């Protein structure tokens, strides 16, 4: 308890000697609560284990990966650490696409309804604090914890890679890794925002948790099956279709799939961590003609993933705006 | 009232089509303890929430220390300490940490928070429990902690919604005495909401009876009582050591006292209905008769009777609706 307080004081130092703003006070409390909570510790252990497993597999195979001159990305050692696998274990970003939503849900599913049922919400809003600050502080506090967690993991990965390979990290690699961290945080932020919204909407924490997990299950398991079924029912045999129609159906399929946040995340993470990925849609032979299989500069990769990134940010903002609207309109007693 | 601390003008609140508070106008002065009395669902908590700017009135305005609570809720919240009916604390934090958190939210400087929190906990009798987790506290202890939570901010106005819920009888007495002391010593204005009438009678300078969102009557309890029951007979009961069945003349002599309307003698007690207060004359006569007086009781019309009259037995209550009766001393 004392140690965690010291940690919080280090990352969120209170301004001395004047009073701290109420927003910062709530953020500090939220960070402290998350760090001490069992659900976060369990999620942290799960992510640490998967990270350790993915790193072990990629470090075991890194020699072959960087020696493969046929791979245009073979010189990006640190990106290879995040993407190399021998198929025994998924790569780290695939794990995050599964565990990230659970982390977001775990940190936000009872953000408001637990305060309401414990009787602390009315006590909080009776203090000289703006009501929206409360919601924002809950979001920001959880996001800070997620950000610190992901940043620590990639720094651990870079440190481990440096010790193991002795190869210094390039600026382009560092930028890509940091962009991956930002992307992962935004991805978790969406699920966090959604679960906070559900915690405002539903009176009981169990209802909001089950609903959030239901939405996650739907997008993770059932959504792809449903989209495949729809496409199979509306697309005629591709062998009889002209090229434009095939491309158009393919684009439709991808557009439908990109409604799922996990698809947006996987698309963007793959592009950021594999510099040779040039497009996230179908390419014609004409477009491919003359293209040299070389890695793209970071800026170009960022432009490719920009729609995915802004899509995730927009979804997060929409969920947060909805929770804000619901929270501000809801009577404090109900 | 020259400078009221709390001023409500035509305050009205609708929840959908339901009128929770109906055209409420009220003034509470500095250092006054005002009690809002009414059954559940009368609109007491809604009124309190409007006073704190936590819910918007449909019409009218609520002013606290001269500040409009709806337009400027933050300055109002800085001046008002609120103890809700079911106060909650962060169970994973100790009593001291809970108060420190509230202190920080209220902008109390870091160096002063702990000292102030300790002093406040000592004031409410929780100094030994300050390092205990709030989750381990009983309901009564939580209410005390709630009072400490409110006092740590050093407010000008205290709003207490059913503050004695869950406290044992001895604790209630202490709790109410503490509120009275704070009001008297620090000039705190207190707005108390409850349906425990005897507690309100113990502590309040003035009360307001609230029903279906309407304030039916407000004023000092004695004044309301004499206004309502002014025409009722005074009932004096005298208990003596001797058996009165052997003294048939006593009844006749008591009837001769001016103002006596009726006398009932039974066993060791004599009960008189009178037009006015004649207790000393009655006692004097009983003593002259050579009887040993063991008890004298005069029936008083307190808040219980006032409440009964308004809520249960007044057939004309509906006529009173909408017309607040201001009863001042």
């Amino acid at each position: 308890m004392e140690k965690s307080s010291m940690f919080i004081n280090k990352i969120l130092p209170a301004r001395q000697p004047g009073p701290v703003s109420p927003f910062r006070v709530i953020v500090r409390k939220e960070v402290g609560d998350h760090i001490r909570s069992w659900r976060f510790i369990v999620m942290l252990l799960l992510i640490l284990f998967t990270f350790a497993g993915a790193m072990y597999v990629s470090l075991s195979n890194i020699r072959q990966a960087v020696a493969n001159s046929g791979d245009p990305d073979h010189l990006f050692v640190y990106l290879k650490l995040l993407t190399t696998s021998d198929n025994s274990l998924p790569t780290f970003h695939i794990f995050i696409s599964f565990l990230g939503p659970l982390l977001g849900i775990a940190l936000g599913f009872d953000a408001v309804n637990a305060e309401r049922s414990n009787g602390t919400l009315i006590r909080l809003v009776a203090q000289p604090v703006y009501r929206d600050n409360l919601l924002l502080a809950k979001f920001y506090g959880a996001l800070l914890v997620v950000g610190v967690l992901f940043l620590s993991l990639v720094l651990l990965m870079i440190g481990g890679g440096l010790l193991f390979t002795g190869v210094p990290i390039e600026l382009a690699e560092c930028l890509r890794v940091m962009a991956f961290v930002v992307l992962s945080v935004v991805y978790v932020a969406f699920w966090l925002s959604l679960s906070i919204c559900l915690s405002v909407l539903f009176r009981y924490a169990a209802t909001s948790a089950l609903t959030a997990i239901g939405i996650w299950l739907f997008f993770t398991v059932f959504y792809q099956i449903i989209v495949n079924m729809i496409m199979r029912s509306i697309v005629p045999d591709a062998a009889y279709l002209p090229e434009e129609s095939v491309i158009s159906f393919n684009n439709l399929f991808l557009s439908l799939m990109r409604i799922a946040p996990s698809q947006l995340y996987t698309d963007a993470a793959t592009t950021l961590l594999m510099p040779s990925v040039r497009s996230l849609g179908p390419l014609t032979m004409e477009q491919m003609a003359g293209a040299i299989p070389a890695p793209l500069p970071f800026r170009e990769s960022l432009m490719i993933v920009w729609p995915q990134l802004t899509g995730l940010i927009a979804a997060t903002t929409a969920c947060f705006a909805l929770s804000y609207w619901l929270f501000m309109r809801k009577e404090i007693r109900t | 009232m020259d400078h009221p601390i709390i001023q409500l003008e035509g305050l009205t609140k609708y929840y959908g089509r339901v009128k929770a508070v109906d055209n409420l106008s009220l003034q509470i002065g500095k250092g006054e303890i005002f009690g809002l009395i009414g059954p559940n669902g009368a609109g007491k908590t809604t009124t309190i929430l409007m006073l704190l700017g936590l819910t918007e009135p449909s019409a009218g305005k609520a002013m606290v220390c001269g500040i409009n609570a709806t337009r400027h809720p933050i300055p109002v919240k800085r001046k008002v300490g609120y103890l809700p009916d079911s106060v909650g604390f962060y169970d994973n934090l100790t009593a001291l940490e809970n108060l420190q958190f509230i202190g920080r939210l209220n902008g109390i400087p870091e160096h002063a928070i702990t000292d102030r929190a300790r002093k406040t906990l000592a004031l409410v009798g929780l100094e030994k429990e300050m390092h205990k987790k709030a989750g381990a506290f009983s309901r009564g202890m939580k209410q005390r902690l709630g009072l400490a939570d409110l006092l740590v901010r050093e407010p000008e106005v205290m709003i207490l919604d059913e503050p004695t819920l869950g406290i044992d009888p001895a604790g209630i007495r202490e709790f109410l005495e503490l509120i009275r002391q704070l009001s008297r010593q620090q000039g705190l204005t207190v707005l108390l909401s409850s349906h425990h009438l005897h507690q309100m009678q113990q502590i309040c300078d003035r009360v307001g009876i609230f029903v279906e969102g309407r304030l039916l009557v407000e004023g000092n309890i004695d004044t309301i009582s004499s206004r309502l029951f002014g025409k009722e007979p005074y009932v004096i009961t005298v208990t003596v050591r001797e058996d009165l069945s052997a003294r048939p003349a006593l009844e006749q002599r008591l009837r001769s006292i001016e103002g006596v309307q009726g006398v009932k003698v039974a066993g060791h007690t004599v009960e008189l209905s009178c037009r006015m207060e004649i207790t000393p004359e009655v006692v004097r006569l009983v003593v002259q008769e050579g009887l040993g007086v063991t008890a004298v009781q005069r029936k008083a019309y307190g808040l219980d009777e006032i409440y009964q009259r308004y809520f249960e037995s007044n057939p004309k209550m509906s006529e009173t609706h909408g017309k607040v009766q201001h009863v001042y001393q």
Side-chain angles (χ1 to χ4, degrees):
Chain A
M1 161 100 188
E2 282 295 315
K3 277 182 186 167
S4 61
S5 302
M6 278 166 63
F7 172 70
I8 297 159
N9 287 335
K10 271 183 188 168
I11 60 166
L12 284 164
R15 280 177 299 168
Q16 294 289 343
V20 187
S21 79
F23 175 73
R24 282 175 68 95
V25 174
I26 303 174
V27 170
R28 287 176 67 187
K29 191 200 145 288
E30 287 298 315
V31 171
D33 283 352
H34 287 315
I35 290 174
R36 285 191 287 260
S37 72
W38 273 108
R39 68 182 100 147
F40 178 73
I41 293 168
V42 169
M43 287 307 301
L44 179 72
L45 287 176
L46 210 58
I47 290 173
L48 277 177
F49 281 138
T50 55
F51 175 76
M55 283 304 112
Y56 175 76
V57 170
S58 55
L59 280 171
S60 310
N61 295 285
I62 196 77
R63 193 182 294 272
Q64 293 93 307
V66 294
N68 180 10
S69 53
D71 178 2
D73 302 332
H74 74 285
L75 290 177
F76 294 95
V77 178
Y78 291 90
L79 298 182
K80 281 284 160 201
L81 278 179
L82 284 169
T83 51
T84 303
S85 170
D86 59 359
N87 295 327
S88 60
L89 262 184
T91 55
F92 184 58
H93 76 272
I94 300 291
F95 272 127
I96 290 297
S97 73
F98 281 102
L99 295 177
L102 282 182
L103 181 63
I105 291 168
L107 295 182
F109 77 93
D110 64 346
V112 176
N113 50 19
E115 295 265 9
R116 201 181 283 277
S117 56
N118 291 343
T120 46
L121 183 64
I122 195 152
R123 183 169 152 253
L124 258 185
V125 295
Q127 309 304 320
V129 181
Y130 289 105
R131 227 203 258 198
D132 53 342
N133 266 1
L134 182 66
L135 203 63
L136 192 63
K138 286 198 168 279
F139 181 69
Y140 185 73
L143 212 58
L144 204 63
V145 172
V146 173
V148 169
L149 169 65
F150 284 157
L151 191 66
S152 311
L153 286 179
V154 295
L155 290 178
L156 207 64
M157 183 271 290
I158 292 171
L162 202 62
L163 276 175
F164 191 78
T165 64
V167 180
I169 189 165
E170 296 287 328
L171 178 67
E173 270 183 298
C174 192
L175 288 174
R176 280 178 185 276
V177 170
M178 289 307 151
F180 168 68
V181 170
V182 172
L183 174 75
S184 302
V185 171
V186 170
Y187 178 54
V188 176
F190 164 73
W191 290 99
L192 175 68
S193 183
L194 178 75
S195 57
I196 288 179
C197 181
L198 294 172
S199 83
V200 177
L201 193 65
F202 296 114
R203 194 184 174 90
Y204 299 107
T207 318
S208 52
L210 283 174
T211 312
I213 289 171
I215 295 170
W216 170 70
L217 264 180
F218 172 76
F219 280 121
T220 311
V221 180
F222 302 110
Y223 187 67
Q224 194 169 2
I225 299 169
I226 294 168
V227 172
N228 278 329
M229 277 167 61
I230 293 170
M231 292 309 291
R232 226 174 290 145
S233 64
I234 61 168
V235 179
D237 192 339
Y240 301 101
L241 285 174
E243 188 182 288
E244 298 82 53
S245 302
V246 173
I247 291 172
S248 137
F249 278 123
N250 215 326
N251 280 334
L252 175 68
F253 174 74
L254 281 174
S255 302
L256 285 175
M257 282 306 293
R258 281 173 189 156
I259 290 173
S262 56
Q263 183 68 34
L264 293 178
Y265 174 73
T266 313
D267 281 359
T270 312
T271 311
L272 285 172
L273 298 176
M274 295 179 177
S276 58
V277 173
R278 308 178 79 86
S279 167
L280 290 168
L283 287 174
T284 61
M285 288 309 285
E286 288 82 2
Q287 285 171 315
M288 289 293 287
I292 305 161
L296 288 179
F298 171 64
R299 201 162 161 266
E300 297 295 322
S301 295
L302 204 59
M303 282 180 70
I304 294 172
V305 301
W306 198 244
Q308 275 74 9
L309 193 60
T310 47
L312 279 174
I313 292 172
T316 308
T317 313
C319 281
F320 190 78
L322 181 64
S323 25
Y324 177 87
W325 184 74
L326 288 170
F327 186 60
M328 295 304 277
R329 282 176 60 89
K330 209 159 194 167
E331 283 294 338
I332 214 75
R333 290 172 77 186
T334 51
Chain B
M1 207 169 286
D2 288 341
H3 299 290
I5 291 288
I6 294 176
Q7 190 172 12
L8 310 178
E9 285 174 26
L11 204 64
T12 305
K13 175 73 184 178
Y14 281 95
Y15 286 117
R17 285 182 174 184
V18 179
K19 208 182 227 182
V21 177
D22 185 5
N23 196 26
L24 173 63
S25 295
L26 181 68
Q27 290 188 339
I28 302 172
K30 187 170 169 55
E32 198 174 8
I33 303 179
F34 188 91
L36 266 185
I37 305 163
N40 294 330
K44 303 187 297 283
T45 305
T46 304
T47 306
I48 288 171
L49 293 181
M50 286 192 280
L51 265 172
L52 286 161
L54 293 179
T55 189
E56 213 170 310
S58 308
K61 65 176 177 179
M63 308 283 286
V64 179
C65 303
I67 307 164
N68 188 319
T70 313
R71 288 188 189 168
H72 309 288
I74 298 293
V76 166
K77 286 180 196 173
R78 282 204 185 98
K79 290 179 182 293
V80 180
Y82 172 49
L83 178 64
D85 51 354
S86 54
V87 63
F89 293 93
Y90 294 110
D91 291 349
N92 55 336
L93 301 183
T94 63
L96 187 65
E97 286 167 342
N98 266 291
L99 293 201
Q100 286 171 328
F101 174 62
I102 290 298
R104 287 188 189 107
L105 277 181
N106 282 274
I108 300 169
E110 277 295 315
H111 60 87
I113 288 176
T114 308
D115 188 43
R116 210 194 274 189
R118 281 174 192 273
K119 279 181 186 162
T120 318
L121 283 168
L123 189 69
V124 297
L126 287 176
E127 69 268 48
K128 284 180 188 161
E129 282 84 13
M130 68 169 77
H131 296 298
K132 263 192 196 167
K133 297 261 162 125
F137 276 26
S138 68
R139 179 80 198 253
M141 284 162 84
K142 279 190 178 175
Q143 286 298 107
R144 282 166 179 275
L145 185 56
L147 188 63
D149 182 80
L150 184 152
L151 293 172
V152 80
R153 305 165 48 190
E154 296 184 348
E156 286 179 38
V157 180
M158 292 204 296
I159 298 181
L160 313 168
D161 197 355
E162 300 284 1
T164 53
L165 271 182
I167 308 184
D168 56 83
I172 288 174
R173 215 174 302 120
E174 266 180 56
F175 192 88
L176 295 177
E177 190 48 43
L178 182 62
I179 292 169
R180 188 196 283 277
Q181 264 181 27
L182 287 165
S183 173
R184 297 291 174 260
Q185 288 168 3
Q186 298 177 20
L188 281 176
T189 305
V190 182
L191 174 63
L192 203 69
S193 139
S194 179
H195 48 241
H196 293 287
L197 305 178
H198 59 285
Q199 292 172 17
M200 297 294 258
Q201 190 159 0
Q202 267 179 2
I203 188 174
C204 293
D205 299 320
R206 275 196 304 144
V207 294
I209 295 178
F210 222 52
V211 66
E212 290 173 6
R214 295 179 176 111
L215 186 65
L216 297 184
V217 64
E218 58 121 336
N220 177 289
I221 295 168
D222 290 339
T223 326
I224 298 175
S225 149
S226 62
R227 188 182 185 284
L228 275 177
F229 302 102
K231 289 173 186 166
E232 302 273 326
Y234 284 86
V235 177
I236 303 162
T237 311
V238 182
T239 312
V240 292
R241 270 195 296 270
E242 295 79 6
D243 185 6
L244 296 175
S245 53
R247 295 179 180 250
L250 180 68
E251 187 178 334
Q252 206 53 44
R253 292 204 61 189
L254 285 168
R255 279 186 191 279
S256 66
I257 300 174
E258 192 190 342
V260 173
Q261 292 175 319
V263 180
K264 261 194 257 174
V265 179
H268 294 266
T269 59
V270 54
E271 192 181 286
L272 296 99
S273 320
C274 326
R275 279 200 313 277
M276 53 191 173
E277 166 63 320
I278 48 163
T279 314
E281 288 85 345
V282 172
V283 173
R284 202 174 301 127
L285 193 143
V286 172
V287 172
Q288 279 170 4
E289 286 291 311
L291 298 167
V293 178
T294 55
V296 180
Q297 219 175 359
R298 207 201 87 188
K299 187 178 177 184
Y301 293 98
L303 207 44
D304 273 319
E305 288 74 19
I306 295 170
Y307 193 82
Q308 289 276 12
R309 172 65 59 97
Y310 267 102
F311 292 105
E312 286 157 28
S313 56
N314 190 347
K316 291 181 180 173
M317 204 175 75
S318 57
E319 291 171 23
T320 332
H321 276 192
K323 287 181 267 172
V324 181
Q325 298 171 25
H326 297 274
V327 184
Y328 297 102
Q329 269 186 313

